[in-house]
Amino acid sequence: MSKYSGRFLIIKNNICFTDTCGQLQTFYYKTNNNFIICSSQKLISILEPNYTINKDKKTIIDTQRDFYGYEGIIDNSFLILPNHYLDINKKSLIRYSTLSYYHSDKPNIDKIVKILEGNFKAIVSRFGENIQMGLTGGHDTRCLLGFAGKYNDKITFFHGFSGNNKELNISKKLVKHMDLKFDEINLKKHNPSKEFINFYNSNRFIPYYAYIPVKSNLKYYMYKNNRNCMLITGTCAE
């Protein structure tokens, strides 16, 4: 598997698994009469019109942002987790051990380094210089900044703020020290239009909610200024 980078889904010999970090979200849905593997909850709702909603999960999503976890908002739907594989015959998710036999952190660190280096290489190869990367000054983005080093000239870094500028000041110091291309984005000035909200919702199973302004305003800014870019954040997920 060392030759694969980026997002992928592989199905072979009735075994299904995704990339190491689970960047390509993959769900499965199972009942006595149906079994579906696909990339979103919305697709499940289309393929299984008789679906029902997990009310407890919907309450969590409605009040604590759009985070599925292992169980999907649709009853009997589940997310294929990182470091797990789906046994299609058994219709069950199984965790596989990767580096648990080692007695030091070095093999784990080496594996993570290889994954992140491979991801950046794949992103640059696919998107060229059309790459945007968040820089908040926190541990996550500083870690990614280290791996982005050799590609800094191809990346435009940005910091989206809506009030507290403390982290923005940290970002500016990093930008000045490393001579990076950088944009400051005042998210309060980029409220999503009605057209964008409709477009955004048309591609989602869970509608847009107004209580996530930082997330939605940033998506709107990217949509308005550059509709075809690769966005890298501290979670390595987008």
Side-chain angles (χ1 to χ4, degrees), residues 183-195:
D183 288 333
E184 296 178 30
I185 306 172
N186 186 342
L187 297 176
K188 289 184 176 180
K189 296 182 178 180
H190 300 283
N191 293 314
S193 65
K194 186 176 180 180
E195 175 195 14

PDB file of all heavy atoms in Angstrom, residues 183-195:
ATOM      1  N   ASP A 183      -3.134  35.287   2.703  1.00  0.00           N
ATOM      2  CA  ASP A 183      -4.343  36.101   2.658  1.00  0.00           C
ATOM      3  C   ASP A 183      -4.977  36.155   4.037  1.00  0.00           C
ATOM      4  O   ASP A 183      -5.099  35.118   4.706  1.00  0.00           O
ATOM      5  CB  ASP A 183      -5.369  35.518   1.681  1.00  0.00           C
ATOM      6  CG  ASP A 183      -4.964  35.694   0.236  1.00  0.00           C
ATOM      7  OD1 ASP A 183      -4.220  36.654  -0.053  1.00  0.00           O
ATOM      8  OD2 ASP A 183      -5.385  34.878  -0.602  1.00  0.00           O
ATOM      9  N   GLU A 184      -5.380  37.356   4.462  1.00  0.00           N
ATOM     10  CA  GLU A 184      -6.197  37.506   5.666  1.00  0.00           C
ATOM     11  C   GLU A 184      -7.653  37.580   5.232  1.00  0.00           C
ATOM     12  O   GLU A 184      -8.008  38.375   4.362  1.00  0.00           O
ATOM     13  CB  GLU A 184      -5.831  38.794   6.407  1.00  0.00           C
ATOM     14  CG  GLU A 184      -4.420  38.841   6.933  1.00  0.00           C
ATOM     15  CD  GLU A 184      -4.120  40.178   7.603  1.00  0.00           C
ATOM     16  OE1 GLU A 184      -5.079  40.784   8.158  1.00  0.00           O
ATOM     17  OE2 GLU A 184      -2.968  40.621   7.557  1.00  0.00           O
ATOM     18  N   ILE A 185      -8.514  36.747   5.832  1.00  0.00           N
ATOM     19  CA  ILE A 185      -9.921  36.702   5.430  1.00  0.00           C
ATOM     20  C   ILE A 185     -10.791  37.076   6.627  1.00  0.00           C
ATOM     21  O   ILE A 185     -10.883  36.315   7.593  1.00  0.00           O
ATOM     22  CB  ILE A 185     -10.312  35.303   4.921  1.00  0.00           C
ATOM     23  CG1 ILE A 185      -9.361  34.851   3.816  1.00  0.00           C
ATOM     24  CG2 ILE A 185     -11.751  35.312   4.421  1.00  0.00           C
ATOM     25  CD1 ILE A 185      -9.568  33.406   3.404  1.00  0.00           C
ATOM     26  N   ASN A 186     -11.417  38.242   6.549  1.00  0.00           N
ATOM     27  CA  ASN A 186     -12.368  38.657   7.586  1.00  0.00           C
ATOM     28  C   ASN A 186     -13.706  37.994   7.270  1.00  0.00           C
ATOM     29  O   ASN A 186     -14.459  38.443   6.399  1.00  0.00           O
ATOM     30  CB  ASN A 186     -12.512  40.177   7.601  1.00  0.00           C
ATOM     31  CG  ASN A 186     -13.374  40.650   8.768  1.00  0.00           C
ATOM     32  OD1 ASN A 186     -14.120  39.877   9.364  1.00  0.00           O
ATOM     33  ND2 ASN A 186     -13.258  41.929   9.100  1.00  0.00           N
ATOM     34  N   LEU A 187     -14.019  36.921   7.968  1.00  0.00           N
ATOM     35  CA  LEU A 187     -15.191  36.114   7.637  1.00  0.00           C
ATOM     36  C   LEU A 187     -16.502  36.849   7.857  1.00  0.00           C
ATOM     37  O   LEU A 187     -17.528  36.489   7.272  1.00  0.00           O
ATOM     38  CB  LEU A 187     -15.162  34.816   8.455  1.00  0.00           C
ATOM     39  CG  LEU A 187     -13.970  33.902   8.149  1.00  0.00           C
ATOM     40  CD1 LEU A 187     -13.982  32.692   9.076  1.00  0.00           C
ATOM     41  CD2 LEU A 187     -14.004  33.435   6.704  1.00  0.00           C
ATOM     42  N   LYS A 188     -16.484  37.887   8.691  1.00  0.00           N
ATOM     43  CA  LYS A 188     -17.716  38.653   8.920  1.00  0.00           C
ATOM     44  C   LYS A 188     -18.170  39.380   7.658  1.00  0.00           C
ATOM     45  O   LYS A 188     -19.334  39.749   7.533  1.00  0.00           O
ATOM     46  CB  LYS A 188     -17.493  39.655  10.048  1.00  0.00           C
ATOM     47  CG  LYS A 188     -17.375  39.027  11.429  1.00  0.00           C
ATOM     48  CD  LYS A 188     -17.262  40.088  12.507  1.00  0.00           C
ATOM     49  CE  LYS A 188     -17.234  39.468  13.892  1.00  0.00           C
ATOM     50  NZ  LYS A 188     -17.127  40.490  14.954  1.00  0.00           N
ATOM     51  N   LYS A 189     -17.254  39.583   6.720  1.00  0.00           N
ATOM     52  CA  LYS A 189     -17.569  40.299   5.490  1.00  0.00           C
ATOM     53  C   LYS A 189     -18.014  39.372   4.363  1.00  0.00           C
ATOM     54  O   LYS A 189     -18.251  39.827   3.241  1.00  0.00           O
ATOM     55  CB  LYS A 189     -16.352  41.108   5.031  1.00  0.00           C
ATOM     56  CG  LYS A 189     -15.927  42.205   5.990  1.00  0.00           C
ATOM     57  CD  LYS A 189     -14.745  42.980   5.435  1.00  0.00           C
ATOM     58  CE  LYS A 189     -14.325  44.113   6.367  1.00  0.00           C
ATOM     59  NZ  LYS A 189     -13.173  44.867   5.825  1.00  0.00           N
ATOM     60  N   HIS A 190     -18.112  38.083   4.653  1.00  0.00           N
ATOM     61  CA  HIS A 190     -18.417  37.125   3.587  1.00  0.00           C
ATOM     62  C   HIS A 190     -19.576  36.218   4.001  1.00  0.00           C
ATOM     63  O   HIS A 190     -19.425  35.004   4.145  1.00  0.00           O
ATOM     64  CB  HIS A 190     -17.181  36.298   3.252  1.00  0.00           C
ATOM     65  CG  HIS A 190     -16.020  37.114   2.794  1.00  0.00           C
ATOM     66  ND1 HIS A 190     -15.940  37.643   1.524  1.00  0.00           N
ATOM     67  CD2 HIS A 190     -14.905  37.528   3.453  1.00  0.00           C
ATOM     68  CE1 HIS A 190     -14.823  38.333   1.406  1.00  0.00           C
ATOM     69  NE2 HIS A 190     -14.176  38.281   2.555  1.00  0.00           N
ATOM     70  N   ASN A 191     -20.735  36.828   4.192  1.00  0.00           N
ATOM     71  CA  ASN A 191     -21.928  36.056   4.529  1.00  0.00           C
ATOM     72  C   ASN A 191     -22.466  35.348   3.281  1.00  0.00           C
ATOM     73  O   ASN A 191     -22.594  35.968   2.225  1.00  0.00           O
ATOM     74  CB  ASN A 191     -23.008  36.967   5.110  1.00  0.00           C
ATOM     75  CG  ASN A 191     -22.600  37.540   6.451  1.00  0.00           C
ATOM     76  OD1 ASN A 191     -22.096  36.813   7.314  1.00  0.00           O
ATOM     77  ND2 ASN A 191     -22.793  38.837   6.635  1.00  0.00           N
ATOM     78  N   PRO A 192     -22.771  34.073   3.377  1.00  0.00           N
ATOM     79  CA  PRO A 192     -23.228  33.317   2.209  1.00  0.00           C
ATOM     80  C   PRO A 192     -24.489  33.909   1.593  1.00  0.00           C
ATOM     81  O   PRO A 192     -25.409  34.328   2.300  1.00  0.00           O
ATOM     82  CB  PRO A 192     -23.510  31.921   2.780  1.00  0.00           C
ATOM     83  CG  PRO A 192     -22.685  31.842   4.015  1.00  0.00           C
ATOM     84  CD  PRO A 192     -22.650  33.226   4.570  1.00  0.00           C
ATOM     85  N   SER A 193     -24.531  33.953   0.261  1.00  0.00           N
ATOM     86  CA  SER A 193     -25.713  34.418  -0.443  1.00  0.00           C
ATOM     87  C   SER A 193     -26.772  33.318  -0.448  1.00  0.00           C
ATOM     88  O   SER A 193     -26.484  32.145  -0.184  1.00  0.00           O
ATOM     89  CB  SER A 193     -25.351  34.789  -1.880  1.00  0.00           C
ATOM     90  OG  SER A 193     -24.942  33.620  -2.593  1.00  0.00           O
ATOM     91  N   LYS A 194     -28.000  33.701  -0.776  1.00  0.00           N
ATOM     92  CA  LYS A 194     -29.085  32.727  -0.858  1.00  0.00           C
ATOM     93  C   LYS A 194     -28.790  31.698  -1.949  1.00  0.00           C
ATOM     94  O   LYS A 194     -29.062  30.503  -1.786  1.00  0.00           O
ATOM     95  CB  LYS A 194     -30.399  33.443  -1.146  1.00  0.00           C
ATOM     96  CG  LYS A 194     -31.615  32.523  -1.114  1.00  0.00           C
ATOM     97  CD  LYS A 194     -32.905  33.297  -1.301  1.00  0.00           C
ATOM     98  CE  LYS A 194     -34.108  32.352  -1.267  1.00  0.00           C
ATOM     99  NZ  LYS A 194     -35.379  33.118  -1.442  1.00  0.00           N
ATOM    100  N   GLU A 195     -28.220  32.154  -3.056  1.00  0.00           N
ATOM    101  CA  GLU A 195     -27.857  31.251  -4.157  1.00  0.00           C
ATOM    102  C   GLU A 195     -26.866  30.191  -3.677  1.00  0.00           C
ATOM    103  O   GLU A 195     -26.997  29.008  -3.986  1.00  0.00           O
ATOM    104  CB  GLU A 195     -27.240  32.051  -5.301  1.00  0.00           C
ATOM    105  CG  GLU A 195     -26.726  31.178  -6.445  1.00  0.00           C
ATOM    106  CD  GLU A 195     -25.802  31.941  -7.379  1.00  0.00           C
ATOM    107  OE1 GLU A 195     -25.342  33.046  -7.019  1.00  0.00           O
ATOM    108  OE2 GLU A 195     -25.513  31.398  -8.465  1.00  0.00           O
TER     109      GLU A 195
END
